[in-house]
Amino acid sequence: MRLSGKNAIVTGASRGIGRAIAIRLAQEGANVVVNYAANADAAQEVAEIIRSLGVQTFVYKADVSKAKEVQAMVQAALDEFGAIHILVNNAGICPFEDFLNISEELWDRVIEVNLKGYFLCSQFVAKSMIERGIKGRIINISSISSLVGGSKQAHYCASKAGINLLTISMAIALGPYGITCNAILPGTIETDINKEDLSDPAKRAYMIKRVPLGRLGVPEDVAGAVVFLASDDANYITGSLLVIDGGMLINLQ
């Protein structure tokens, strides 16, 4: 197991991509903090699966856009595990809305969760790593929407583009401490968030047609890359933006 003895925090880990990441990290031997914001039952279910794998875990409710809540979560992880070696920033929201109808409140909320949340979690965790001399891993889940626009995703695309440059800046700032910072940019991944949308046969066929590999992604496709970036195999990789989309992006260009 590549991550035996490591401790990780995965934000937004109750469902979808975050759920798959938390479970995969545990399968590789890591102890995992399962963060969630709303669905306690789903988060507990993930924790039960992780416990069955023989590693430690606990569930922690925190709104990643709130500094006090993030600080408390990080401290809880340190109290329980003693150190944090891996942070996966995954929590995010994507409320589709036409550009002309995006309210100031909606814009602020998307930026607060998707971008500010990544900043807060990374800063608190990075400080704990530096204090303990840990050459840790920070992995940000971005999106190919950070590289292409969308008429109903102006707020989301902007937040994800911000994550990319935040990742690069963090890599420069934290490199001297041996902390690597990388981002993963998924394409269309089937989760419960887009399940209803993809249940339309015509829409599903259209999306698949755009992917050279001929299928949509699943959360496990992203989780495997997270494990790689968190492992010693990625010791010399930092500031990278890894696209995982079955070739969708190159097919759009």
Side-chain angles (χ1 to χ4, degrees):
M1 293 190 290
R2 287 186 282 178
L3 303 177
S4 181
K6 303 294 185 181
N7 307 315
I9 295 176
V10 181
T11 68
S14 65
R15 59 180 183 168
I17 292 173
R19 179 182 190 276
I21 291 171
I23 293 172
R24 185 63 190 277
L25 291 175
Q27 289 172 336
E28 292 289 343
N31 303 312
V32 183
V33 178
V34 177
N35 162 256
Y36 77 100
N39 197 331
D41 290 340
Q44 289 293 348
E45 180 184 332
V46 175
E48 290 174 9
I49 294 172
I50 291 174
R51 289 190 190 96
S52 73
L53 296 170
V55 295
Q56 299 178 58
T57 185
F58 68 91
V59 170
Y60 198 96
K61 181 179 181 180
D63 179 340
V64 297
S65 71
K66 308 296 184 184
K68 289 184 179 180
E69 294 186 27
V70 172
Q71 185 176 26
M73 176 174 65
V74 171
Q75 188 58 54
L78 294 172
D79 291 342
E80 183 72 18
F81 297 147
I84 303 165
H85 304 90
I86 302 162
L87 168 66
V88 182
N89 285 308
N90 168 75
I93 56 175
C94 182
F96 290 98
E97 184 60 84
D98 289 325
F99 170 71
L100 295 176
N101 295 329
I102 296 173
S103 66
E104 181 180 1
E105 291 75 20
L106 181 59
W107 174 273
D108 287 347
R109 184 58 183 160
V110 170
I111 298 299
E112 284 176 357
V113 174
N114 293 6
L115 183 55
K116 180 183 175 183
Y118 280 37
F119 160 71
L120 290 174
C121 290
S122 297
Q123 189 179 71
F124 282 116
V125 170
K127 286 180 178 179
S128 79
M129 290 174 174
I130 293 169
E131 289 171 359
R132 291 161 180 77
I134 293 172
K135 296 180 179 181
R137 303 282 190 268
I138 298 177
I139 302 162
N140 294 326
I141 306 303
S142 181
S143 170
I144 64 168
S145 292
S146 65
L147 304 176
V148 295
S151 64
K152 294 180 179 291
Q153 294 178 285
H155 45 355
Y156 179 77
C157 293
S159 71
K160 291 298 184 176
I163 288 169
N164 292 354
L165 284 180
L166 173 64
T167 301
I168 293 169
S169 298
M170 285 165 43
I172 296 169
L174 300 178
Y177 301 99
I179 300 170
T180 67
C181 304
N182 295 287
I184 291 175
L185 285 58
T188 301
I189 307 295
E190 290 192 81
T191 67
D192 55 352
I193 294 176
N194 58 21
K195 184 177 181 180
E196 182 176 349
D197 193 37
L198 293 174
S199 65
D200 180 341
K203 180 63 175 292
R204 185 180 186 85
Y206 169 73
M207 297 300 291
I208 292 175
K209 186 177 180 180
R210 296 167 68 187
V211 181
L213 286 183
R215 69 171 177 87
L216 300 180
V218 294
E220 289 73 20
D221 291 324
V222 179
V226 170
V227 168
F228 166 68
L229 290 174
S231 74
D232 288 343
D233 292 332
N235 276 340
Y236 203 57
I237 300 175
T238 195
S240 293
L241 308 178
L242 176 60
V243 175
I244 300 179
D245 68 346
M248 178 184 284
L249 186 63
I250 59 172
N251 203 32
L252 294 175
Q253 297 175 336

